[in-house]
Amino acid sequence: MKQPSSSSEGLLGSLFSSRAVDAELSDDALLRAMLDAEAALALASAETNVVPAAAADEIEKACQHGDFEIAQLGVQAESAGNPAAPLSRALVERVSAAAKPWVHHGATSQDILDTALMLLAQRAGREIVASAAAAAASCAELAERHRHTVMLARTLGQPAVVTTFGLKAAGWLVALDTAGARLDVVLAQRLAVQLGGAAGTLGVFGAAGPEVLRCFAARLGLAEPVLPWHTDRQRVLDLAAALGALVAAAGKLALDVELLAQAEVGEVSEGGAAHGTSSAMPHKRNPIDAALVRSASYRAPGLVATLYGASQHEHERAAGAWHAEWQPLRELVSIAGGALSRTAQLLCNLDVHVERMFEDVDVTRGLVMAEQLAARLAPLVGRSAALDTVARCCDIAVSSGRALRDVALADDVVRTHLSAVEVDGALGPQRALQAVPALIDRALASRKLPAASAKSA
Amino acid sequence: MKQPSSSSEGLLGSLFSSRAVDAELSDDALLRAMLDAEAALALASAETNVVPAAAADEIEKACQHGDFEIAQLGVQAESAGNPAAPLSRALVERVSAAAKPWVHHGATSQDILDTALMLLAQRAGREIVASAAAAAASCAELAERHRHTVMLARTLGQPAVVTTFGLKAAGWLVALDTAGARLDVVLAQRLAVQLGGAAGTLGVFGAAGPEVLRCFAARLGLAEPVLPWHTDRQRVLDLAAALGALVAAAGKLALDVELLAQAEVGEVSEGGAAHGTSSAMPHKRNPIDAALVRSASYRAPGLVATLYGASQHEHERAAGAWHAEWQPLRELVSIAGGALSRTAQLLCNLDVHVERMFEDVDVTRGLVMAEQLAARLAPLVGRSAALDTVARCCDIAVSSGRALRDVALADDVVRTHLSAVEVDGALGPQRALQAVPALIDRALASRKLPAASAKSA
Amino acid sequence: MKQPSSSSEGLLGSLFSSRAVDAELSDDALLRAMLDAEAALALASAETNVVPAAAADEIEKACQHGDFEIAQLGVQAESAGNPAAPLSRALVERVSAAAKPWVHHGATSQDILDTALMLLAQRAGREIVASAAAAAASCAELAERHRHTVMLARTLGQPAVVTTFGLKAAGWLVALDTAGARLDVVLAQRLAVQLGGAAGTLGVFGAAGPEVLRCFAARLGLAEPVLPWHTDRQRVLDLAAALGALVAAAGKLALDVELLAQAEVGEVSEGGAAHGTSSAMPHKRNPIDAALVRSASYRAPGLVATLYGASQHEHERAAGAWHAEWQPLRELVSIAGGALSRTAQLLCNLDVHVERMFEDVDVTRGLVMAEQLAARLAPLVGRSAALDTVARCCDIAVSSGRALRDVALADDVVRTHLSAVEVDGALGPQRALQAVPALIDRALASRKLPAASAKSA
Amino acid sequence: MKQPSSSSEGLLGSLFSSRAVDAELSDDALLRAMLDAEAALALASAETNVVPAAAADEIEKACQHGDFEIAQLGVQAESAGNPAAPLSRALVERVSAAAKPWVHHGATSQDILDTALMLLAQRAGREIVASAAAAAASCAELAERHRHTVMLARTLGQPAVVTTFGLKAAGWLVALDTAGARLDVVLAQRLAVQLGGAAGTLGVFGAAGPEVLRCFAARLGLAEPVLPWHTDRQRVLDLAAALGALVAAAGKLALDVELLAQAEVGEVSEGGAAHGTSSAMPHKRNPIDAALVRSASYRAPGLVATLYGASQHEHERAAGAWHAEWQPLRELVSIAGGALSRTAQLLCNLDVHVERMFEDVDVTRGLVMAEQLAARLAPLVGRSAALDTVARCCDIAVSSGRALRDVALADDVVRTHLSAVEVDGALGPQRALQAVPALIDRALASRKLPAASAKSA
């Protein structure tokens, strides 16, 4: 159960993951990142005259070479409690006697493993941000295209008033863009190298410690921390929170799609070839992408909570809390990758059934415009009387199956105060939707994720 | 990230898992279990005259044969949203025209996948129960052996009174035994086959449905459910709760070991060859087993919550909530397996430093017996006066570094009411520990997990 | 935020709670239960000759009197870290000098508080079981009454095949009954008194310890634990798991109701006076009960996880983990109470729109019976050909808007092998629903919660 | 269980909360904030000529007056499903006929309740940030004062190398400062007004909608959202994540204190009058503040997960997910308030036992400097040989109880390459701690929370 393989070739295929993201999370990638960290450490130490340049070069070459056996390192990890310890021993074996003392010099296992996990998160995270940007770009396109596509707004599962599909898509956009941009910031600013040595003092480097730290960070393209953060896990929490929130934004969108795709609603459907067919029921078209995105949204909160729950690391290195982070962190990144790439795909293939949206509004016989009629009446008869009047008309419309317009025009209070034209004006969507284009424009203008960084799903 | 491989050969070795348990959770095992389910369905249907016997036999043989490619099924899973659909198609390809219609007859993908996951849980769960029994057996042995080994009881991290290490081990025993036995009951009674067809009506079987269900369950050794439970996930919750509670029991034990193994306490240490050595600090002996067990105890609650959170399955089959169960369920089983096998190993190798336990009691200079002295005084001077007197003596003992006995014998109130012999009696552990043997006997007598089922760790 | 008041008179009314349950969870109730525990301890100690009978009687009377000020105890709790310590001091003040030494004799604060919380859970839990039984009884009635009410079965949000509303209600019944009965068992068997003294050794009682424990449990109607369980929290986990699972069962039901109540589906609606009206939209009828039950199902998993996460209590008494249990436990009981009483109310008032159920089946033009048609054809043309044929017919039916029956009768393959009567037989619900009455009977026969214990909602 | 009272006068006192924070979270405060929202809405609408100025003034006055009964509103909330609906009706009753139509004009219940909760969070959050700043200021002081106070660094619960208490405090500082500053940013930038009307279209305001939104936000001092965020809960997630991370930072500090305060370690203790005394054990001094802070750190992750889990709000307003936020949000704010004010108090009263720190280093007989000795030897004999040599010396030192210095000076390899002075230099803490002052300076220089904003705890 524990080691992610380097490909997405298992029985559950890539149901829950993205191949591009998972490639950055595999054991191969983790080993690569640990070697990158060891190499950068040697070079940074040479740069700051802590380690002889020749030794550092030799160590870097050994790191590049890559003749390390994952299975063997895994076996050795068991007695050390982590894979960084056997890796540094394996590196020592691969360099000359002169270089041996300088392998892993000044570092502790956590320095290498934390740094490697941050590299993984950064590399995989960029793919996720790109998927979020692609999904957001699709939302922006839908917002633009369906700016005026009138549809029911539904609250507590019931038709409420009218909105446009463009505004709904703009809502998805803002959430995805906000969450994606937040993740982007975390990747750039909060993912830092780890370097502190046995207990966070940078002791072995002497006074050169802070300078080694600076060079180490510069070489790896990660942030330079103020202090070693062996037991200060705020960075991990920032990453977890950002990933969880992005999955949540995707999950909301998927939930809307799933509900709109219900046969009885039928306002959108998932496109794509041979999509979501059922073995037992040949006529069905299942919203598979939405279901799988939602599956991620069920899983992310527990992973976020696990990382928050394991964030109190005692003393200078934790016994258990640290170890508890590794797999949940990779898993959270993985399912975020799966969720966002599926969301981008879902949006690319989304079929929007504009006519069904109109029909579903019509079916309410004007009841969803009741609020507008009450608002129109209120200044004339008082809000309470207006609400009472409209409620009475609605009750009659509901029980008789007549249109609200017809009932209203037959109502004494209404016809005393409003002409037929005024009633029609109140019951039409125009006024109710007057602010919608401006709202959509605000959403489009507020985008923080560069449309350019969007890859195809 | 998503597919567990069939072995524990990754970079994180078997840090967090047990090879025996993970062998039952791999993709190979999942495929095997799905095929077992398809075969049992065919045979049960033949037994109830729903499917021709020859067809069922042929289907069973095809299931046995095993020439299925996991990677290919994984790719096909993607459009179906699960691996059971392509598997049934692959089975159809492997049987004669006469048998083809009877493959997967009357079933839906969820029938096969839920049943397979229950088989996995049962097979892996038995290994976990065996590890729990082994750990409990070690605890029982420690309880017996250290029945009279006096040590400090600590509350809120502070020395409180005395207890014995045997009673502490008896506490571990009761928790592990209770949790292990609960899991055993869940495995035997709550893990059920799933069979309902497209929507839980057993529709395709006609009136024979319930009988097919009965035979299907009997063949697989799983419970027969009252109804198909496609969207009633109480069984999954029972399994999750039992696994989580067992990990919690192991985690408490590991926490105690970690704290007792602190150099400053030094009352136990993890044994085992070359155990827990540190690359940077050659003198250290880290409590690696305890740390890894604790890592599981940090992860289990989030997985339990995920399964509870994904337990409201809408209508007759859920879009997302069901899919969200698969990986967390396997992962929870996996880390429970790792935690329990490590706990068993930890206990096998545990070094108990009896003399340090005595020393740590002595270091408190009798202060931990203050409660006994107060209790001895209370009937003579009133409880308040007794507490005041003892508190005064304790303060003096603390500030002066003298033994409580000496301070007490110099105290006016004490010496007015108690002789030196009585003070010594009050300050000795005998009275305080009078009930301990009986408590340990109760714990040993209450064991529910058969000692016999315990495998070696 | 922290202290529940004794009534449900806050701004959020009883949206999330049940008055009957919350009355058992209030600060008044907690104080009452702590006093019950102190009184029972004194009497049990007298019964076992540890404490003079007169002192015990006096203590009991002081406990009965009830002139304790919650606010003052609360202030004093702050330095002690819990309210049991100041309560025992307050009791000492209320008894004669002769009785003073025997107040709280042999106990520690955790003994009193854990026991009190178990009493609260038991008393409140019985109300919850009663609500679950009432809800289950309503489900049983619906299962009986709508045994043959044909409706769509929906999977992944799409119409799949047909079922009956009775079978759906039977599914709700089995889940509620299973979960309610599990809670009932926990209340009766797993809620135990806590008694161990300072460190779980029953030290102050001497050899009488186990006998005091037995009497203490008998007096309070709680189980007698094998050992003091100060740091073995399996009982708390059992309670949490049972409550969480019951909320999950209610949440699934509420989710179904919410989805069936959508205007576009319209198959059920919440009844009750002036129910779920909206300030802004007078025509709306919101499924308020379902929404509030669902709100509990969103909250319960986090509370379950909190209790699992806080279950590793170090040494003989935990610093923090124990304190972390108190409020989440009360809150979980409270929202379970609210969820179950609302579920019972929802079911009492549920309006079932049988005709809409039929219409929604009709609207699918026979497509949901496609599985039956394929099953009917499979033995004649092979399963693959049957599925292909039916898929072709479905595609035509979908694109043309014609009934599947008509398309099928015009299909060459179909009419070669089946007569019109046979097609009608295959497309009618009778065969598909043949096992349903038996399934409903199984559900009704399996009930474990006594119908008699059901109170009115 | 559900309604927080306006004071902290319950049985659990203010164990888990801060009076100042809870005052901002009470039902009184919530009602006040809802009225503030209604008043601001009326005035903003008048400012934008949507509502007559006189009506708005009248509404504002009615909001100020405050003759609203919480209990009555609570009862009425039950049928509406929230307290904002009955509040707007109560407001209507309190204004003239001319103003009645303009009460709650254009708003929906969620507009008022979400805005009110954001106001609560902002007001309470500022208190929490102030407590975090106070705690951080104490950490800064400790970092300064104990810059050179040598103590053991401990990893996996074992002595590793040396550090200084100042660096430990600097680590606490960075975490608290980072988390506090993040919360401060969320309060200022992410807490926004909610205003969208029935379905987020601002429909009733016509084209003036965005302008009303702007004025509404300006009046309340909350951010102006790009769009109404009825079903985009990213803001709630940001708040939850920030609060959870701050509690985590405090929890790590409390865990360290608890471990350092163990009698066997004894390097710090909680000060303060009559602190943490035990009823049963008069000699004990319990780390009560640390325990209560840790209790919050056990609870926060579940609440964070609940808010993440309830963040997928369907369509234009959610049925259940929204309702699920209210109490967990208040509770998370409340326990964060309690945790941070206690942390500030704990740090104010913290007694640091410098001599015990030195003694605990000494007790290791130089073993914790083994890393330095190995580093000193490595360039001379090769890293492997150096590690082997030092490990051999350590083993001898451990088994013989001799000082590492003495063993090393007697070792052939060591004395071949190093003089006694060089050995002493390697085994002294000076070199190991060379970078520490610079690290502390970095931590002090990186502070983002203004020291000035720190209130006394």
Side-chain angles (χ1 to χ4, degrees), chain A residues 139 142-144 146-149 164-171 436 440:
Chain A
C139 290
L142 289 170
E144 210 37 292
H146 293 285
R147 186 178 275 267
H148 303 294
T149 303
T164 77
F165 185 61
L167 184 57
K168 188 184 281 267
V436 165
I440 291 174

Side-chain angles (χ1 to χ4, degrees), chain B residues 152 154-160 259 261-265 280-287 367-368 370-371 390-391 394-395, chain D residues 152 154-160 259 261-265 280-287 367-368 370-371 390-391 394-395:
Chain B
L152 284 178
R154 295 171 175 94
T155 61
L156 283 90
Q158 301 297 314
L259 292 171
Q262 292 172 101
E264 293 85 356
V265 179
M281 293 157 288
H283 64 284
K284 281 190 66 179
R285 289 287 177 273
N286 287 322
L367 290 167
V368 290
E371 183 192 44
V390 173
C394 287
D395 284 347
Chain D
L152 285 178
R154 295 171 175 95
T155 61
L156 284 89
Q158 301 298 314
L259 292 171
Q262 292 174 100
E264 294 86 357
V265 180
M281 294 157 289
H283 65 284
K284 282 190 66 178
R285 287 288 177 273
N286 287 322
L367 291 168
V368 291
E371 184 192 44
V390 173
C394 287
D395 284 345

Side-chain angles (χ1 to χ4, degrees), chain B residues 4-29:
Chain B
S5 98
S6 55
S7 65
S8 295
E9 294 176 351
L11 197 51
L12 302 182
S14 52
L15 289 179
F16 305 121
S17 61
S18 141
R19 283 190 177 79
V21 169
D22 271 23
E24 304 291 0
L25 297 173
S26 68
D27 270 8
D28 283 339

Side-chain angles (χ1 to χ4, degrees), chain C residues 161-218:
Chain C
V161 296
V162 288
T163 186
T164 76
F165 184 60
L167 184 57
K168 188 184 280 267
W172 298 343
L173 165 64
V174 168
L176 283 172
D177 184 77
T178 302
R182 188 199 298 106
L183 176 58
D184 209 29
V185 169
V186 169
L187 299 183
Q189 298 176 9
R190 296 290 293 154
L191 300 190
V193 290
Q194 180 67 280
L195 187 63
T201 57
L202 292 165
V204 172
F205 301 113
E211 188 60 10
V212 177
L213 178 59
R214 193 186 61 72
C215 294
F216 183 52

Side-chain angles (χ1 to χ4, degrees), chain A residues 26-50:
Chain A
S26 68
D27 270 8
D28 283 339
L30 179 56
L31 175 58
R32 179 76 263 133
M34 288 199 293
L35 289 166
D36 289 349
E38 292 283 6
L41 174 63
L43 296 175
S45 300
E47 200 177 340
T48 49
N49 300 315
V50 170

Side-chain angles (χ1 to χ4, degrees), chain B residues 132 136 170-185 242 245-246 249 446-449, chain C residues 190 226 232-235 238:
Chain B
W172 297 344
L173 165 63
V174 169
L176 282 172
D177 183 77
T178 302
R182 188 199 298 106
L183 176 58
D184 209 29
V185 168
L246 183 53
S446 76
R447 292 171 70 183
K448 288 177 289 286
L449 286 177
Chain C
R190 296 290 293 154
V226 172
D232 165 10
R233 311 310 283 176
Q234 294 289 319
R235 295 169 190 281
D238 281 349

